[in-house]
Amino acid sequence: MAPTRSSRAAFVLLGGVQVTLIFTLAAVAVPLPGIGVEFGVRREELILLSAAYGLTFAGLLLFGGRLADRYGGQRTLTAGLLVFGLASAAAPLAPGYGTLLAARLAQGVGAALIAPAAMAVLRTVFPSPAAYGGAMATWGGLSVLGATAGNLLSGVISALLSWRWAFAVPLAVTVAALVLAPRVLPAATGSHSGTGGPEHPARRPRLDLPGALLATAGLASASYGLVLTDAWSWTSGRVLAPLVAGVVLLAMFVGVERRAPDPLLPPRFLLDRRRALGLAATALTAAGTATVFVLFSLHLQDERGWSALRTSAAFVPFAVALLASGRVAGRLIGRYGAPAVTGTGLAVGAVGLVLLALLGMNDIVPYAYGLLPGFVLLATGVAASFAGAAVLATDRVPAERTGLAGGVHNTAMETGPTVVFALVLGVGGDTASLAETAALFGTAALALRLA
């Protein structure tokens, strides 16, 4: 059945919010050096500021998914939008580093409520499996679109105005979503529809607070330790302390979940082979995109002497190729299947990464022959991979687990870049990092081919 006008409007609203969540993640990436100068803070404090949003976002996603399943997608979505909006209003007014850091942490809390709740509401907008699968194929590419927009616009805004104006985007989208949601989204009908109140309170999942606390603390601590590898060695106490603490807390989380009557993350949920492959592909694709954005944002400004504005403009072809590929990915999934499209996307992305490793880092090779082909191929591949992986990760998920599926999917998307980026940068230089990421893409493509 073709999407109706109301379902398309709901998808545009929810999709715009999802793009904004990832846009906000990248909003301070390019202007970070200027923020450091303005507030007079050290490199390690800037690292924490850059990671703060992602730490609370990734750490609370599983709990956010449980809240969406228990209290309904629309209620959780509204609560998340309020937290996210207030934090987005406070950030540009920050008089100092501490206030800005607190605002970024609060933004992540709101985002962790919004992301899984939006996917839960999406399930009610597209109730049939075929329609929901088609919607998820498009949904999968929205996050990389948000990351691309964040890198593009943050450089433009900081160059023409101030980094503070970058927060106008999430604030405006949040206000629009709060106003339009009651008019555009379907009426609340029940807790397990993903949209409303508890019609069947006896069937509502428990909150599993011990599991939520352990998962949040473990993911945040381990992620922070990995982020610190950018400035200190793996053997440094600054890195080892949060890493070890995170691993211990996550191990405790696994133990608690095995005994919990209604676990936050049921172990069986990750045993589905298609879902596991989809989550792995999501994490890896997000990691490859983030690696390229970070490496080339620094390379073009530090090594080639490009301005922030010119650096942002260099990624415009990436965004164009991403949009073009994303438009056809859904139809390809319907014809060839999600595993085939995901694997092909990873293979194409691997070729783009190889070209960037061989030519993109060479200052002698002009942009049109060095960076451009690699950007286009990578964007084409990651759009297909994200679309197929989103379908695999959410396929055959019961309606009462839609929030959980959204939380797990977004957790893979948020933690993947942190883990892979820390690992590949710790082995070699920029060129080696790109080559290693390409090898990971190729290995994952082969695994999907053999699955």
Side-chain angles (χ1 to χ4, degrees), residues 312-339:
S312 294
F315 289 98
V316 169
F318 185 99
V320 173
L322 185 73
L323 290 171
S325 180
R327 289 183 64 87
V328 301
R331 292 194 293 271
L332 292 175
I333 291 171
R335 182 171 182 179
Y336 299 106

Side-chain angles (χ1 to χ4, degrees), residues 203-230:
R203 295 169 49 195
R204 292 187 300 171
R206 299 177 184 178
L207 287 181
D208 185 18
L209 290 177
L213 291 172
L214 289 171
T216 300
L219 286 171
S221 181
S223 298
Y224 181 56
L226 290 170
V227 167
L228 292 179
T229 59
D230 177 68

Side-chain angles (χ1 to χ4, degrees), residues 129-371:
Y132 182 66
M136 287 309 302
T138 304
W139 188 270
L142 295 180
S143 294
V144 71
L145 177 62
T148 305
N151 279 273
L152 288 174
L153 294 181
S154 64
V156 174
I157 292 172
S158 61
L160 299 181
L161 297 170
S162 164
W163 61 267
R164 296 176 184 271
W165 281 96
F167 292 97
V169 176
L171 180 59
V173 172
T174 302
V175 172
L178 286 170
V179 172
L180 295 175
R183 307 177 186 179
V184 172
L185 300 181
T189 57
S191 64
H192 288 297
S193 70
T195 60
E199 288 186 353
H200 306 286
R203 295 169 49 195
R204 292 187 300 171
R206 299 177 184 178
L207 287 181
D208 185 18
L209 290 177
L213 291 172
L214 289 171
T216 300
L219 286 171
S221 181
S223 298
Y224 181 56
L226 290 170
V227 167
L228 292 179
T229 59
D230 177 68
W232 290 280
S233 70
W234 287 82
T235 57
S236 168
R238 293 175 179 265
V239 172
L240 285 178
L243 269 181
V244 172
V247 171
V248 171
L249 289 168
L250 290 175
M252 293 172 62
F253 168 72
V254 173
V256 167
E257 295 303 278
R258 287 180 175 177
R259 297 188 300 270
D262 197 358
L264 182 70
L265 178 60
R268 292 183 180 180
F269 190 80
L270 299 179
L271 295 180
D272 184 282
R273 191 174 185 182
R274 285 168 60 91
R275 187 172 301 129
L277 287 172
L279 292 172
T282 296
L284 187 56
T285 307
T289 307
T291 299
V292 167
F293 283 160
V294 172
L295 290 183
F296 282 99
S297 291
L298 294 174
H299 172 77
L300 294 177
Q301 294 182 77
D302 295 343
E303 303 299 328
R304 301 196 185 189
W306 289 19
S307 65
L309 189 60
R310 187 180 179 187
T311 299
S312 294
F315 289 98
V316 169
F318 185 99
V320 173
L322 185 73
L323 290 171
S325 180
R327 289 183 64 87
V328 301
R331 292 194 293 271
L332 292 175
I333 291 171
R335 182 171 182 179
Y336 299 106
V341 173
T342 307
T344 302
L346 287 167
V348 173
V351 175
L353 287 166
V354 170
L355 288 178
L356 290 172
L358 295 176
L359 302 175
M361 287 292 174
N362 190 333
D363 297 346
I364 300 176
V365 180
Y367 172 86
Y369 302 105
L371 287 171

Side-chain angles (χ1 to χ4, degrees), residues 3 83 102 114 219 368:
V83 174
I114 294 169
L219 286 171

